[in-house]
Amino acid sequence: MLSELRDSTAELHREIEEENAAGTIMDHSISIAQYKNLLFQNYVAYAISEKEISAQLVNYEPSKYKELEKDLDQLNVPAEIPSFSGSNFSCNSEAEAFGAAYVVEGSAMGGMLISRNLKHCKKLSSIENHHFFNGKRDSLKSWNEFKKLIESKTFTDEEKTSAINKAKETFEFFGQVFRQQFLNS
């Protein structure tokens, strides 16, 4: 199932990576205002998606948006979800939740790469602790647990299709969020 999800969403994954401000971390040019907006965008996307996933997957622990709340709090940015076009994301079955969780949990690997570059961003040097982009190997723990869980599950063809479609929709949802300018510079 993992390889089917990966293969079916590869192009969308690349598009989303190009759409957000993480590239300004990679080239070390990000400003505090850009970083605040990036964190807030991630907060919105993860808070909405993790809450939907946890409503369908009994043992799912939403944690990413909570780390983002800590980052926003230390930067004095209120963690309140605004209404915006496209904010009606939902998971209506376990299979859909697995598809969405694939996107959410898989993001940990990209977060590790981003975290290594944060220390080189001079405009962010006043930030002592990064909670979401923390670079700790523990961040991969939930991805590894998710991989074991999804590989242990048997999916019908209909469930596979549902999971793949929801993974695509989740990438598209993240893209919609990343196109929003929530905070004024």
Side-chain angles (χ1 to χ4, degrees), residues 36-37 40 69 71-80 183:
K36 286 179 180 180
N37 194 63
F40 192 79
E69 278 180 346
D71 285 322
L72 292 171
D73 184 54
Q74 76 181 3
L75 295 169
N76 299 312
V77 177
E80 298 169 3
L183 307 177

Side-chain angles (χ1 to χ4, degrees), residues 149-167:
L149 178 62
I150 199 168
E151 288 300 324
S152 72
K153 180 154 176 52
T154 302
F155 290 85
T156 66
D157 288 342
E158 185 178 310
E159 289 171 329
K160 284 181 182 181
T161 300
S162 182
I164 289 167
N165 288 339
K166 185 53 71 170

